[in-house]
Structures are given as structure tokens and as C-alpha cells.
Amino acid sequence: LTDYKGDAWFLSTPKFGKTFFKELALYKDKFPNWQGWTFTTFDNPHIDPEEIEDARRTMDNLYFRCEFLAEDVDLTGRPFAYAFDPIKHVRECHYTDAEELHISFDFNVDPITCISAQLQGNNVNVIEEFVLRNSDIYELCEHIYMKLPKLNRLIVTGDATGRNRQAISRGGVTYYHAIKEILRISEHQFNVPSVNFSNLNSRELIGRAFHFNRCFINPNCTYLINDLTYCEVGNDGKLKKESTGKNANLSHLMDCLKYMLINNFYKELDF
């Protein structure tokens, strides 16, 4: 550009948080040879406005303002599970013999956590949570093995890093190898991706699951309900994880739910 006095265009939506694109956008106010424009999706003559209005009705308002109205949205202090309402989404959920049983792990060191759920009708019902402190994957799995029914119909998912991370004790095996060994299940009962879904996409999926009343939580899942109520996002749209303060140790059950919905029920939650 310097050699030939060329021109350049920088085109983007204003993603959440502080970005280099937003820094460039401010140059129009600082330098006379820079210009900037903002257009909404309504300005695109090739897109039917009714399609945009349909997106407005089905999306979280903050995401709509960012993606369709090109606004610089501040997410700081907002709930990660923005559509969760304990009055509507907390109800009695019980195991049934007719459906597969799904469990989802988060491999935080302390506490180590897991949830169990079933797809009953069109709804994902989270039935039980397992939270052990000062423990490990072996003790957690032994606890699960004693409590859960129908292990022959068990499907396991969770944090993708568990495929590579080694369990803390009892030799150099991975977390999922330890789960397979203790729960006495086969390889085809695992549904774990090679990488985890992004926080932004998982937040949108969780939001839509509760917005359309497709996910329900058993009242005994108190840690998960607490996560859904109090976990927040930063201005970058990512789930805030804090080691101190009032939100310390939140999000581990939320992570279990994220992995469960994304890995096992993504197709079923087709809105």
C-alpha cells in the first residue's frame, strides 16, 4: 500500500470485546485519509427483511444487535445462560427405561464434576449431578457406577481435552480411558469430539434450548442451577471463570451441560 499508494478495505461485523478491527474503525476520527461506514443487515437489498425479523424473534437480543445491527455490544456482567428461568426450567426429572442415558464430564481438578440426562420426548432432562471435592476421576466413576441405572445404554461425553490429559493417579492413562475401565463400557459408547465448541456458539445453543423450553433441570441439581443463575460473560462473550470472589468455582456444571447439549443433542435441538 505504501509503495503504490494503494487502497484497502477492512470488512467485518463488530465482534464482542476489544478487537483490532474496532481499533481500525476509530482511525476515521484520527486520520484524514481513513473513512468508515456502518451498515445493518436491513441495508442489504438481497436479504428479505422478514428473514431478519424472524432472526430477531428467535435470537438473543444482544447477539442480534451485534450480528444484524452492527452495534458494538457490551456483554460485561450479563448471564451466560441468558434465557434460563428457574420458574420455568426447574422441575422434577426422573430416569426412564425407554431412553439412553447420557453423562457428561468436566475434568476440573477440584471439584471434579458430571451430570446425567436423557432425551425424553423432545426435551433434554438433566436428572442428576455429581460433584466431588478433593477427589479424582476414579472415585467419581465408582460413585457414578453405583448410582446410575442401565449402564449398558450409557453414552459418555464431556471435555475434549480428556482424550489427551492424563488422570492424576493410578498410572499414565487418559481420563476417558479411566472412565471406560471403571464404568465397564465399550468404545462405541463414547461421543467426544476432537476439539471443544467455542464459548460463543455454546452460549447461543444453551440460550436457545431454554428460550424454546427444550431443556429442564431436576431440583436436586443445585450446583448446576447455581451456575445457570450466576455465571456471567465478559465483554468478549466468553464464560468468565474466577478463582476468587463471589463467583469462584462457578461454571464447572455449566461446562458439563455445554458438552452434553453440543456433543449429544445438537441435532435433536434443531430449532
Side-chain angles (χ1 to χ4, degrees):
L1 297 180
T2 300
D3 291 346
Y4 297 100
K5 297 183 179 180
D7 297 324
W9 290 79
F10 300 91
L11 309 173
S12 180
T13 51
K15 300 298 184 184
F16 298 118
K18 184 179 180 181
T19 65
F20 183 55
F21 174 74
K22 291 180 182 178
E23 184 179 330
L24 292 176
L26 296 176
Y27 283 9
K28 71 180 187 301
D29 301 321
K30 299 179 180 180
F31 308 112
N33 60 334
W34 283 75
Q35 298 183 60
W37 298 268
T38 300
F39 298 100
T40 73
T41 310
F42 287 105
D43 296 312
N44 188 334
H46 301 289
I47 295 182
D48 185 344
E50 183 54 36
E51 292 293 317
I52 305 173
E53 292 298 340
D54 184 58
R56 189 200 299 271
R57 288 188 289 269
T58 58
M59 288 181 68
D60 171 40
N61 182 53
L62 295 176
Y63 280 81
F64 179 83
R65 286 167 53 197
C66 177
E67 297 293 336
F68 286 83
L69 302 184
E71 295 182 16
D72 184 6
V73 178
D74 182 7
L75 292 178
T76 303
R78 297 183 179 274
F80 187 86
Y82 55 84
F84 173 72
D85 182 346
I87 296 176
K88 293 193 297 185
H89 302 124
V90 176
R91 70 182 190 186
E92 292 290 333
C93 301
H94 303 282
Y95 295 115
T96 69
D97 294 336
E99 306 298 338
E100 290 180 331
L101 178 59
H102 298 256
I103 60 174
S104 176
F105 288 87
D106 179 54
F107 302 116
N108 182 63
V109 175
D110 187 27
I112 189 167
T113 57
C114 179
I115 63 172
S116 64
Q118 288 184 305
L119 184 68
Q120 298 174 353
N122 291 323
N123 300 324
V124 175
N125 290 338
V126 180
I127 302 168
E128 198 165 2
E129 66 182 8
F130 304 90
V131 181
L132 294 186
R133 297 189 179 277
N134 302 313
S135 186
D136 58 28
I137 188 64
Y138 299 97
E139 185 177 353
L140 177 62
C141 286
E142 288 164 359
H143 183 66
I144 291 170
Y145 185 78
M146 296 298 295
K147 291 200 68 175
L148 289 186
K150 303 289 184 182
L151 287 182
N152 60 315
R153 296 175 58 80
L154 187 67
I155 305 296
V156 175
T157 191
D159 186 353
T161 65
R163 286 192 176 279
N164 304 315
R165 290 169 56 192
Q166 290 187 342
I168 296 174
S169 59
R170 303 192 196 177
V173 301
T174 68
Y175 278 87
Y176 284 114
H177 183 88
I179 292 169
K180 177 181 177 182
E181 177 184 285
I182 298 171
L183 296 186
R184 300 170 176 80
I185 58 178
S186 61
E187 194 66 34
H188 78 272
Q189 291 176 265
F190 287 86
N191 184 30
V192 183
S194 57
V195 295
N196 289 326
F197 227 56
S198 76
N199 265 307
L200 289 175
N201 291 333
S202 61
R203 180 174 186 252
E204 180 70 4
L205 178 63
I206 287 176
R208 288 165 70 83
F210 286 116
H211 176 78
F212 290 103
N213 299 316
R214 297 284 304 281
C215 185
F216 297 93
I217 314 297
N218 203 352
N220 66 6
C221 298
T222 55
Y223 287 96
L224 176 57
I225 293 168
N226 195 55
D227 278 9
L228 291 167
T229 303
Y230 296 109
C231 282
E232 298 177 349
V233 291
N235 193 35
D236 57 0
K238 295 181 179 179
L239 179 63
K240 291 172 66 175
K241 294 178 179 286
E242 302 178 16
S243 57
T244 60
K246 67 181 180 67
N247 291 331
N249 292 320
L250 286 177
S251 82
H252 305 307
L253 275 300
M254 175 80 81
D255 286 336
C256 290
L257 181 63
K258 286 187 335 186
Y259 304 136
M260 176 79 75
L261 295 182
I262 292 166
N263 300 341
N264 287 13
F265 299 123
Y266 189 86
K267 293 181 180 179
E268 285 79 1
L269 297 176
D270 181 16
F271 302 106

